[in-house]
Amino acid sequence: MTWINTTEQGKFPTTGIFHVAENFSNRYGEPLGRVQGVGYVNELLARLTESPVRDNTQTNRTLDASPITFPLNRTIYADFSHDNEMIAIYSALGLFEQPEHLDPTHPDPNRTWMTCYLTPFSARMVTERLYCTARPQPLESNSYLTFPKSNNYVRLLVNDALQPLEFCRHDPDGLCELGAFKDSQRYATSDGDGDFEKCFKSD
């Protein structure tokens, strides 16, 4: 199929669905997909908590152990990567998890896993660590957790879109307490829950 043909009415959506499903199968839909992003998540947690990197997967221990090559006292950090690695990082974090495996022959128009939105040209993920002062409790309870005390919080944005962090206790502003965010990343802190070792099995 040529690029010209893909722009014809009716063909472009199918081509996009196939690419989305293919990309999905390399992450959530593939046993070794998520673990490819574990190293970065553990480095991210180290920066957020200002503590040494604890990782036994694909990180460089020599670089991570040095305050020169991996400082922990900076206000802003910038990392650059390929879109394939970004997809793995999303999956390792628990972002954009789908209720079922994507099928390119029966596309779900309501899916949130869309490559054109997850990794467009110049895609970016921003992780913010915020210190928020205490906020009053609401008069009526709702499905969100309120924060009556001052604390550090984490907020994630993918291509400027605020992420709800459904895997972590959060509020309407997308804020998750730092400790709760770290606890939600057990897949990364456990080095992929045994998935990394599977990379070296021949069967």
Side-chain angles (χ1 to χ4, degrees):
M1 182 181 295
T2 65
W3 280 107
I4 295 177
N5 288 337
T6 61
T7 61
E8 294 178 8
Q9 185 176 3
K11 290 186 177 180
F12 185 76
T14 303
T15 304
I17 291 292
F18 175 78
H19 182 61
V20 170
E22 181 182 37
N23 212 329
F24 175 80
S25 68
N26 289 332
R27 298 302 175 254
Y28 279 118
E30 214 287 319
L32 302 181
R34 295 182 67 196
V35 74
Q36 296 175 46
V38 162
Y40 177 83
V41 175
N42 283 329
E43 290 182 335
L44 175 64
L45 292 174
R47 288 168 169 167
L48 290 172
T49 59
E50 298 182 4
S51 57
V53 177
R54 298 184 61 181
D55 180 76
N56 295 298
T57 61
Q58 68 269 52
T59 54
N60 187 314
R61 296 182 185 179
T62 301
L63 294 179
D64 282 354
S66 171
I68 298 175
T69 53
F70 196 85
L72 295 171
N73 59 348
R74 299 291 190 266
T75 302
I76 298 176
Y77 301 93
D79 299 299
F80 301 87
S81 186
H82 191 274
D83 56 353
N84 287 340
E85 279 67 44
M86 292 185 69
I87 290 292
I89 291 167
Y90 296 160
S91 303
L93 283 167
L95 298 174
F96 308 109
E97 188 168 8
Q98 303 300 293
E100 58 186 15
H101 190 86
L102 296 181
D103 184 354
T105 62
H106 298 87
D108 180 3
N110 298 318
R111 71 192 183 283
T112 59
W113 190 276
M114 300 183 70
T115 305
C116 59
Y117 294 133
L118 302 185
T119 53
F121 180 75
S122 191
R124 58 203 174 279
M125 181 184 78
V126 176
T127 305
E128 300 176 333
R129 188 183 72 174
L130 309 172
Y131 181 79
C132 300
T133 56
R135 291 181 290 179
Q137 295 277 2
L139 296 178
E140 297 181 1
S141 61
N142 54 33
S143 60
Y144 296 102
L145 178 70
T146 57
F147 303 120
K149 62 181 180 179
S150 301
N151 212 332
N152 287 309
Y153 300 95
V154 174
R155 186 166 68 172
L156 282 173
L157 298 96
V158 175
N159 303 314
D160 296 332
L162 181 65
Q163 299 305 304
L165 302 185
E166 297 174 349
F167 51 80
C168 179
R169 295 176 296 171
H170 64 286
D171 76 347
D173 297 318
L175 295 174
C176 175
E177 189 175 6
L178 177 57
F181 180 80
K182 181 180 179 181
D183 290 342
S184 74
Q185 299 303 309
R186 289 190 181 92
Y187 180 75
T189 56
S190 66
D191 295 322
D193 197 22
D195 287 343
F196 186 70
E197 288 73 17
K198 296 176 184 176
C199 296
F200 303 96
K201 293 184 178 180
S202 58
D203 52 1

